[in-house]
Amino acid sequence: MDSRSNDYILAKYDISGIQRYIFATNRLKENVGASCQVTKILEVYLPDSIREAVTQTDAYVIDWQKEDKLLLLKDQSIIVEIIYIGGGNALVLFQGMEVCQQVSRNLARKVAENCQGIYLAAAYVEKINLENFSEDVEKLNRKMAEKKAGMIKQPVYSPFPVVEQDNANHQPITRRYCLSKEENMDMTEMQYQKWMAYQETKGQKEGKLYPLIEGVNYDYPVDMDALCRDPGGNSYIAIVHIDGNGMGAQVQKVLAESKEYEMAVPILRENSKKISSVFENTYQEMLKGLFRYLKLPDRKREEEIQMPLRPIVMDGDDFTFVCTADLAIPLAAGFLLELMKGQKKEAEKITACAGIAFVHSHFPFYETYCIAEESCSDAKKKWYQKREGGSSENCFLDFRILKGSEVGGTVRHEDWQLRPYSVEAKEHEKKEDSLARLCEAVKKMESWPSNRLHKISQAMLEGEYEMEFLQKEFKSRGYDIKDLTQAEDWTKSPLYDALEIRGLCEMKLLEEFWKMQEM
């Protein structure tokens, strides 16, 4: 073991409450600003905190993505090195407790001042074992779990009864922002910080959320109405949440194979950069497919195109966006298809699952995100089941449609739902649980009268006996429900799911993504 090992401290900084902070409102500008704020905590405020604590410019390493090796162990003049940042947390290696405490104080102050509503947790391990990085990480994770369990998340309340409060979160109104000469907007401090973060990034078309599409000048909507069929009304929108499969297991595998710090840290960095690169490239290909579908090459070159989606979060293997309802399934499936296509030559492929929440545009945004996240979790459960059976290269997609304000509205007939669906690379591969089979049922419904489809929906709500009676009635009039079910037993077919998404899935875009797999 290194003679200086007892001077080393491995610290972890973790951001809590990210989802509730970002999706606290239905105002897209605030959502985008909140996402920027979360990104700044570890990518801007942490490096700034290190610079303030360590005055010598050659005594710290903060650009971890450019470093192939762990430099702090070789160079005694370096006293702080960021090991990696991702997933809302950062690992940092310090030489000495004093600088560790100073950096932590600086970072906590910056978060408290600039990111009201976000909570920062910090934990550290002293006297690290340079021969066993994984053991130290496990200790650190246990300490972090204990720290977060004991955190008191103090809400911000108005200290005086005469102070105006926000109706949604009861925080004091402390700011008035001038939108125009005629219009002002009263805000809480949290809203103001998010708003200003959005204003700082407004017009800056760069970074991972703005991948380059040759010859295309594009931007995203800034108001939720732009994503609705009926602007100003209460039509459907969708939140799509995509998450990588088995990423934690990949990290554990890396740590198990390379235990020493000098071996494990470079591999961990490379793995993190690879995952981010794969997801960012996949998003770029998805946007290209959407652009081709929109058929806009004839517009003036300098004309700006507004994409019918808005990315909110992209952090490693975590990707969330909001879009018009009828594009949600095609875009989610298109992302998963491009993810698989981009790794055809890879021995170990990165896969992902997607969850979609269809809600009315005025439905609470945070609850909508939670539903999308739960749907993604259900899809991942299906992936884990398939992996146990020997298949781990497929991606799965699940969705929920909320009618009215009933959160559990789609849970009543789980026995009739075939979802989650497997996203196959070829449209003609119609396995029992494939997305292509669901799409086939939806397309066949196009030739059926709407009143008959409505009768099927009503009969399904009443039970199997009513469905059996309806099948006999339809057959006597030249309609066979088996043409839609593609199975003898309708309860084991995509019929229920197809009836739900009818009118909420743009088939032509989905077919465009399937065609792209053959290129």
Side-chain angles (χ1 to χ4, degrees):
M1 185 185 298
D2 193 298
S3 61
R4 297 181 292 137
S5 63
N6 288 343
D7 297 331
Y8 295 143
I9 296 165
L10 182 64
K12 183 176 185 178
Y13 300 100
D14 186 274
I15 307 172
S16 297
I18 293 177
Q19 287 78 16
R20 187 173 288 278
Y21 178 74
I22 293 177
F23 298 100
T25 174
N26 289 45
R27 292 183 284 269
L28 276 180
K29 293 177 183 177
E30 289 183 28
N31 303 137
V32 174
S35 182
C36 294
Q37 288 286 81
V38 170
T39 301
K40 285 171 68 175
I41 291 174
L42 297 179
E43 294 189 2
V44 177
Y45 296 151
L46 176 58
D48 286 351
S49 299
I50 293 172
R51 293 188 190 99
E52 292 173 8
V54 183
T55 55
Q56 305 94 326
T57 57
D58 58 348
Y60 54 76
V61 177
I62 56 178
D63 197 349
W64 62 275
Q65 292 182 317
K66 291 184 177 179
E67 301 299 337
D68 296 328
K69 297 180 181 179
L70 187 60
L71 301 179
L72 188 145
L73 301 180
K74 297 294 185 181
D75 189 343
Q76 294 189 26
S77 66
I78 297 175
I79 56 178
V80 184
E81 181 168 0
I82 296 177
I83 291 178
Y84 98 104
I85 296 172
N89 57 69
L91 279 181
V92 185
L93 189 60
F94 294 94
Q95 190 177 168
M97 177 58 75
E98 184 178 348
V99 67
C100 175
Q101 291 177 335
Q102 186 59 51
V103 169
S104 300
R105 283 194 294 267
N106 292 347
L107 182 58
R109 185 186 71 252
K110 291 178 184 295
V111 172
E113 291 175 352
N114 300 292
C115 303
Q116 195 175 96
I118 281 288
Y119 300 93
L120 180 72
Y124 62 86
V125 173
E126 297 182 85
K127 299 180 180 180
I128 65 173
N129 181 358
L130 293 179
E131 295 178 352
N132 202 329
F133 178 62
S134 61
E135 183 181 85
D136 287 337
V137 170
E138 287 180 12
K139 289 180 183 177
L140 191 59
N141 288 338
R142 286 197 296 270
K143 285 195 171 186
M144 179 59 75
E146 293 172 3
K147 178 78 71 173
K148 291 173 73 173
M151 282 180 66
I152 299 175
K153 298 181 179 180
Q154 183 65 43
V156 180
Y157 288 122
S158 174
F160 304 106
V162 295
V163 176
E164 185 179 0
Q165 297 180 350
D166 181 76
N167 292 330
N169 54 32
H170 307 294
Q171 292 185 5
I173 300 295
T174 58
R175 299 276 188 171
R176 173 163 288 180
Y177 187 83
C178 180
L179 298 175
S180 65
K181 290 182 179 180
E182 296 80 20
E183 186 180 5
N184 294 319
M185 183 176 179
D186 293 334
M187 300 178 176
T188 66
E189 185 64 24
M190 186 190 301
Q191 287 176 307
Y192 179 76
Q193 290 173 350
K194 294 176 182 179
W195 189 271
M196 293 308 296
Y198 166 75
Q199 294 298 328
E200 288 176 12
T201 59
K202 183 181 177 182
Q204 297 178 11
K205 299 179 185 179
E206 56 187 22
K208 54 193 175 185
L209 296 183
Y210 281 90
L212 178 65
I213 303 178
E214 188 176 353
V216 182
N217 177 23
Y218 70 94
D219 208 342
Y220 302 112
V222 295
D223 293 305
M224 194 68 74
D225 278 353
L227 297 174
C228 298
R229 286 182 178 177
D230 178 23
N234 196 24
S235 54
Y236 276 104
I237 61 163
I239 284 187
V240 180
H241 177 66
I242 298 173
D243 193 38
N245 295 325
M247 295 295 105
Q250 283 193 21
V251 173
Q252 292 301 321
K253 183 180 179 182
V254 168
L255 298 180
E257 293 176 352
S258 306
K259 291 190 175 182
E260 294 183 4
Y261 272 70
E262 292 186 69
M263 295 290 291
V265 170
I267 297 175
L268 186 63
R269 284 174 171 171
E270 187 61 33
N271 187 60
S272 178
K273 288 187 284 187
K274 178 185 176 182
I275 292 170
S276 297
S277 176
V278 166
F279 271 69
E280 289 166 21
N281 292 339
T282 300
Y283 178 55
Q284 182 181 35
E285 294 303 314
M286 186 198 83
L287 280 186
K288 288 180 181 178
L290 175 59
F291 177 70
R292 280 194 289 269
Y293 162 75
L294 294 174
K295 296 180 180 179
L296 296 173
D298 296 333
R299 92 270 176 255
K300 294 180 180 178
R301 189 175 183 84
E302 66 277 5
E303 183 183 344
E304 183 179 87
I305 299 166
Q306 182 171 277
M307 291 293 190
L309 80 157
R310 179 90 211 198
I312 305 294
V313 176
M314 178 174 277
D315 184 7
D317 67 320
D318 185 353
F319 180 37
T320 303
F321 63 90
V322 58
C323 65
T324 55
D326 59 335
L327 300 184
I329 290 177
L331 289 177
F335 186 95
L336 299 178
L337 288 168
E338 290 301 315
L339 180 65
M340 293 185 286
K341 179 184 176 182
Q343 302 176 87
K344 281 184 177 180
K345 297 179 181 179
E346 296 290 333
E348 293 188 12
K349 296 177 175 59
I350 297 171
T351 62
C353 288
I356 305 170
F358 293 93
V359 299
H360 289 291
S361 58
H362 296 164
F363 194 84
F365 215 42
Y366 176 67
E367 280 71 19
T368 305
Y369 170 79
C370 291
I371 293 166
E373 192 176 41
E374 288 172 8
S375 296
C376 185
S377 296
D378 290 340
K380 289 168 81 71
K381 289 176 185 176
K382 185 77 169 283
W383 180 82
Y384 281 110
Q385 291 172 1
K386 293 290 184 179
R387 188 181 68 167
E388 290 176 1
S391 175
S392 62
E393 293 187 1
N394 282 4
C395 298
F396 289 87
L397 179 151
D398 196 7
F399 57 87
R400 294 187 192 176
I401 302 171
L402 272 71
K403 297 180 174 69
S405 61
E406 186 179 3
V407 175
T410 62
V411 180
R412 289 177 296 168
H413 302 292
E414 284 184 345
D415 292 340
W416 301 347
Q417 297 171 2
L418 202 60
R419 54 191 190 251
Y421 288 96
S422 171
V423 180
E424 307 291 344
K426 295 181 180 179
E427 184 180 4
H428 63 266
E429 291 183 1
K430 296 183 177 67
K431 298 180 182 177
E432 182 179 339
D433 62 349
S434 71
L435 182 63
R437 188 170 175 227
L438 171 66
C439 294
E440 184 69 20
V442 174
K443 284 192 285 188
K444 287 186 176 182
M445 287 179 181
E446 294 174 359
S447 60
W448 279 56
S450 295
N451 66 324
R452 294 196 180 277
L453 296 175
H454 181 69
K455 283 185 177 182
I456 296 175
S457 297
Q458 291 299 313
M460 292 178 83
L461 294 176
E462 295 180 24
E464 293 187 44
Y465 176 78
E466 288 297 324
M467 275 294 292
E468 184 179 346
F469 180 81
L470 188 66
Q471 286 186 78
K472 292 177 180 178
E473 177 190 333
F474 277 12
K475 203 164 186 179
S476 67
R477 299 181 181 183
Y479 290 92
D480 193 344
I481 294 179
K482 290 180 182 177
D483 292 340
L484 300 177
T485 63
Q486 308 165 63
E488 290 295 322
D489 185 355
W490 67 268
T491 63
K492 296 178 181 178
S493 75
L495 180 61
Y496 183 84
D497 295 335
L499 286 166
E500 276 210 308
I501 68 163
R502 190 169 61 95
L504 290 175
C505 183
E506 181 50 69
M507 291 298 170
K508 291 181 180 179
L509 176 57
L510 187 52
E511 290 167 0
E512 177 70 26
F513 280 116
W514 266 316
K515 289 177 183 176
M516 288 170 60
Q517 306 312 300
E518 301 172 2
M519 295 181 181

PDB file of all heavy atoms in Angstrom, residues 382-396:
ATOM      1  N   LYS A 382     -39.449  -6.306 -17.403  1.00  0.00           N
ATOM      2  CA  LYS A 382     -39.596  -7.258 -18.517  1.00  0.00           C
ATOM      3  C   LYS A 382     -38.211  -7.585 -19.095  1.00  0.00           C
ATOM      4  O   LYS A 382     -37.930  -8.740 -19.436  1.00  0.00           O
ATOM      5  CB  LYS A 382     -40.498  -6.628 -19.585  1.00  0.00           C
ATOM      6  CG  LYS A 382     -40.845  -7.536 -20.761  1.00  0.00           C
ATOM      7  CD  LYS A 382     -41.910  -8.538 -20.389  1.00  0.00           C
ATOM      8  CE  LYS A 382     -42.459  -9.277 -21.591  1.00  0.00           C
ATOM      9  NZ  LYS A 382     -43.405  -8.487 -22.387  1.00  0.00           N
ATOM     10  N   TRP A 383     -37.354  -6.574 -19.189  1.00  0.00           N
ATOM     11  CA  TRP A 383     -36.005  -6.792 -19.721  1.00  0.00           C
ATOM     12  C   TRP A 383     -35.219  -7.743 -18.826  1.00  0.00           C
ATOM     13  O   TRP A 383     -34.533  -8.651 -19.312  1.00  0.00           O
ATOM     14  CB  TRP A 383     -35.265  -5.457 -19.840  1.00  0.00           C
ATOM     15  CG  TRP A 383     -33.866  -5.598 -20.375  1.00  0.00           C
ATOM     16  CD1 TRP A 383     -33.499  -5.702 -21.679  1.00  0.00           C
ATOM     17  CD2 TRP A 383     -32.657  -5.671 -19.613  1.00  0.00           C
ATOM     18  NE1 TRP A 383     -32.132  -5.830 -21.781  1.00  0.00           N
ATOM     19  CE2 TRP A 383     -31.586  -5.812 -20.524  1.00  0.00           C
ATOM     20  CE3 TRP A 383     -32.372  -5.625 -18.252  1.00  0.00           C
ATOM     21  CZ2 TRP A 383     -30.263  -5.909 -20.108  1.00  0.00           C
ATOM     22  CZ3 TRP A 383     -31.046  -5.723 -17.828  1.00  0.00           C
ATOM     23  CH2 TRP A 383     -30.013  -5.859 -18.759  1.00  0.00           C
ATOM     24  N   TYR A 384     -35.325  -7.548 -17.523  1.00  0.00           N
ATOM     25  CA  TYR A 384     -34.608  -8.432 -16.587  1.00  0.00           C
ATOM     26  C   TYR A 384     -35.129  -9.871 -16.675  1.00  0.00           C
ATOM     27  O   TYR A 384     -34.351 -10.831 -16.573  1.00  0.00           O
ATOM     28  CB  TYR A 384     -34.739  -7.904 -15.158  1.00  0.00           C
ATOM     29  CG  TYR A 384     -33.800  -6.754 -14.845  1.00  0.00           C
ATOM     30  CD1 TYR A 384     -34.277  -5.469 -14.651  1.00  0.00           C
ATOM     31  CD2 TYR A 384     -32.418  -6.951 -14.763  1.00  0.00           C
ATOM     32  CE1 TYR A 384     -33.421  -4.408 -14.381  1.00  0.00           C
ATOM     33  CE2 TYR A 384     -31.557  -5.895 -14.485  1.00  0.00           C
ATOM     34  CZ  TYR A 384     -32.063  -4.630 -14.295  1.00  0.00           C
ATOM     35  OH  TYR A 384     -31.209  -3.589 -14.032  1.00  0.00           O
ATOM     36  N   GLN A 385     -36.443 -10.020 -16.865  1.00  0.00           N
ATOM     37  CA  GLN A 385     -37.008 -11.360 -17.028  1.00  0.00           C
ATOM     38  C   GLN A 385     -36.448 -12.031 -18.277  1.00  0.00           C
ATOM     39  O   GLN A 385     -36.084 -13.211 -18.244  1.00  0.00           O
ATOM     40  CB  GLN A 385     -38.537 -11.280 -17.123  1.00  0.00           C
ATOM     41  CG  GLN A 385     -39.217 -10.876 -15.835  1.00  0.00           C
ATOM     42  CD  GLN A 385     -40.705 -10.633 -16.027  1.00  0.00           C
ATOM     43  OE1 GLN A 385     -41.245 -10.785 -17.121  1.00  0.00           O
ATOM     44  NE2 GLN A 385     -41.372 -10.231 -14.953  1.00  0.00           N
ATOM     45  N   LYS A 386     -36.373 -11.283 -19.369  1.00  0.00           N
ATOM     46  CA  LYS A 386     -35.831 -11.826 -20.614  1.00  0.00           C
ATOM     47  C   LYS A 386     -34.351 -12.145 -20.467  1.00  0.00           C
ATOM     48  O   LYS A 386     -33.855 -13.130 -21.035  1.00  0.00           O
ATOM     49  CB  LYS A 386     -36.029 -10.834 -21.757  1.00  0.00           C
ATOM     50  CG  LYS A 386     -37.486 -10.612 -22.143  1.00  0.00           C
ATOM     51  CD  LYS A 386     -38.075 -11.845 -22.828  1.00  0.00           C
ATOM     52  CE  LYS A 386     -39.488 -11.580 -23.297  1.00  0.00           C
ATOM     53  NZ  LYS A 386     -40.082 -12.751 -23.995  1.00  0.00           N
ATOM     54  N   ARG A 387     -33.623 -11.321 -19.720  1.00  0.00           N
ATOM     55  CA  ARG A 387     -32.191 -11.558 -19.537  1.00  0.00           C
ATOM     56  C   ARG A 387     -31.947 -12.865 -18.787  1.00  0.00           C
ATOM     57  O   ARG A 387     -31.015 -13.611 -19.098  1.00  0.00           O
ATOM     58  CB  ARG A 387     -31.560 -10.394 -18.773  1.00  0.00           C
ATOM     59  CG  ARG A 387     -30.036 -10.482 -18.713  1.00  0.00           C
ATOM     60  CD  ARG A 387     -29.424  -9.352 -17.953  1.00  0.00           C
ATOM     61  NE  ARG A 387     -29.740  -9.411 -16.535  1.00  0.00           N
ATOM     62  CZ  ARG A 387     -29.125  -8.675 -15.611  1.00  0.00           C
ATOM     63  NH1 ARG A 387     -28.191  -7.801 -15.961  1.00  0.00           N
ATOM     64  NH2 ARG A 387     -29.471  -8.777 -14.343  1.00  0.00           N
ATOM     65  N   GLU A 388     -32.796 -13.147 -17.815  1.00  0.00           N
ATOM     66  CA  GLU A 388     -32.678 -14.412 -17.092  1.00  0.00           C
ATOM     67  C   GLU A 388     -32.904 -15.594 -18.020  1.00  0.00           C
ATOM     68  O   GLU A 388     -32.385 -16.690 -17.790  1.00  0.00           O
ATOM     69  CB  GLU A 388     -33.676 -14.447 -15.936  1.00  0.00           C
ATOM     70  CG  GLU A 388     -33.319 -13.482 -14.808  1.00  0.00           C
ATOM     71  CD  GLU A 388     -34.363 -13.469 -13.718  1.00  0.00           C
ATOM     72  OE1 GLU A 388     -35.359 -14.227 -13.838  1.00  0.00           O
ATOM     73  OE2 GLU A 388     -34.193 -12.706 -12.746  1.00  0.00           O
ATOM     74  N   GLY A 389     -33.688 -15.352 -19.088  1.00  0.00           N
ATOM     75  CA  GLY A 389     -33.931 -16.405 -20.073  1.00  0.00           C
ATOM     76  C   GLY A 389     -32.875 -16.474 -21.152  1.00  0.00           C
ATOM     77  O   GLY A 389     -33.005 -17.250 -22.102  1.00  0.00           O
ATOM     78  N   GLY A 390     -31.850 -15.611 -21.060  1.00  0.00           N
ATOM     79  CA  GLY A 390     -30.742 -15.655 -22.009  1.00  0.00           C
ATOM     80  C   GLY A 390     -30.752 -14.580 -23.061  1.00  0.00           C
ATOM     81  O   GLY A 390     -29.864 -14.516 -23.909  1.00  0.00           O
ATOM     82  N   SER A 391     -31.774 -13.702 -23.050  1.00  0.00           N
ATOM     83  CA  SER A 391     -31.849 -12.627 -24.054  1.00  0.00           C
ATOM     84  C   SER A 391     -31.730 -11.281 -23.350  1.00  0.00           C
ATOM     85  O   SER A 391     -32.580 -10.929 -22.535  1.00  0.00           O
ATOM     86  CB  SER A 391     -33.186 -12.693 -24.812  1.00  0.00           C
ATOM     87  OG  SER A 391     -33.310 -11.601 -25.689  1.00  0.00           O
ATOM     88  N   SER A 392     -30.672 -10.522 -23.663  1.00  0.00           N
ATOM     89  CA  SER A 392     -30.445  -9.245 -22.984  1.00  0.00           C
ATOM     90  C   SER A 392     -30.190  -8.094 -23.954  1.00  0.00           C
ATOM     91  O   SER A 392     -29.854  -6.999 -23.536  1.00  0.00           O
ATOM     92  CB  SER A 392     -29.257  -9.358 -22.023  1.00  0.00           C
ATOM     93  OG  SER A 392     -28.068  -9.672 -22.740  1.00  0.00           O
ATOM     94  N   GLU A 393     -30.345  -8.345 -25.270  1.00  0.00           N
ATOM     95  CA  GLU A 393     -30.027  -7.300 -26.247  1.00  0.00           C
ATOM     96  C   GLU A 393     -31.267  -6.564 -26.746  1.00  0.00           C
ATOM     97  O   GLU A 393     -31.164  -5.665 -27.559  1.00  0.00           O
ATOM     98  CB  GLU A 393     -29.270  -7.904 -27.437  1.00  0.00           C
ATOM     99  CG  GLU A 393     -27.885  -8.416 -27.056  1.00  0.00           C
ATOM    100  CD  GLU A 393     -27.079  -8.850 -28.264  1.00  0.00           C
ATOM    101  OE1 GLU A 393     -27.591  -8.739 -29.390  1.00  0.00           O
ATOM    102  OE2 GLU A 393     -25.936  -9.308 -28.075  1.00  0.00           O
ATOM    103  N   ASN A 394     -32.446  -6.937 -26.266  1.00  0.00           N
ATOM    104  CA  ASN A 394     -33.675  -6.250 -26.670  1.00  0.00           C
ATOM    105  C   ASN A 394     -33.928  -5.035 -25.801  1.00  0.00           C
ATOM    106  O   ASN A 394     -33.462  -4.944 -24.666  1.00  0.00           O
ATOM    107  CB  ASN A 394     -34.875  -7.197 -26.582  1.00  0.00           C
ATOM    108  CG  ASN A 394     -34.928  -8.147 -27.759  1.00  0.00           C
ATOM    109  OD1 ASN A 394     -34.044  -8.147 -28.603  1.00  0.00           O
ATOM    110  ND2 ASN A 394     -35.963  -8.966 -27.812  1.00  0.00           N
ATOM    111  N   CYS A 395     -34.689  -4.106 -26.348  1.00  0.00           N
ATOM    112  CA  CYS A 395     -35.157  -2.946 -25.600  1.00  0.00           C
ATOM    113  C   CYS A 395     -36.677  -3.050 -25.471  1.00  0.00           C
ATOM    114  O   CYS A 395     -37.340  -3.617 -26.337  1.00  0.00           O
ATOM    115  CB  CYS A 395     -34.782  -1.654 -26.314  1.00  0.00           C
ATOM    116  SG  CYS A 395     -32.990  -1.388 -26.503  1.00  0.00           S
ATOM    117  N   PHE A 396     -37.216  -2.487 -24.384  1.00  0.00           N
ATOM    118  CA  PHE A 396     -38.663  -2.582 -24.153  1.00  0.00           C
ATOM    119  C   PHE A 396     -39.264  -1.205 -23.912  1.00  0.00           C
ATOM    120  O   PHE A 396     -38.589  -0.281 -23.462  1.00  0.00           O
ATOM    121  CB  PHE A 396     -38.962  -3.507 -22.971  1.00  0.00           C
ATOM    122  CG  PHE A 396     -38.697  -4.950 -23.262  1.00  0.00           C
ATOM    123  CD1 PHE A 396     -37.436  -5.495 -23.078  1.00  0.00           C
ATOM    124  CD2 PHE A 396     -39.703  -5.773 -23.748  1.00  0.00           C
ATOM    125  CE1 PHE A 396     -37.179  -6.828 -23.377  1.00  0.00           C
ATOM    126  CE2 PHE A 396     -39.462  -7.105 -24.039  1.00  0.00           C
ATOM    127  CZ  PHE A 396     -38.198  -7.634 -23.854  1.00  0.00           C
TER     128      PHE A 396
END
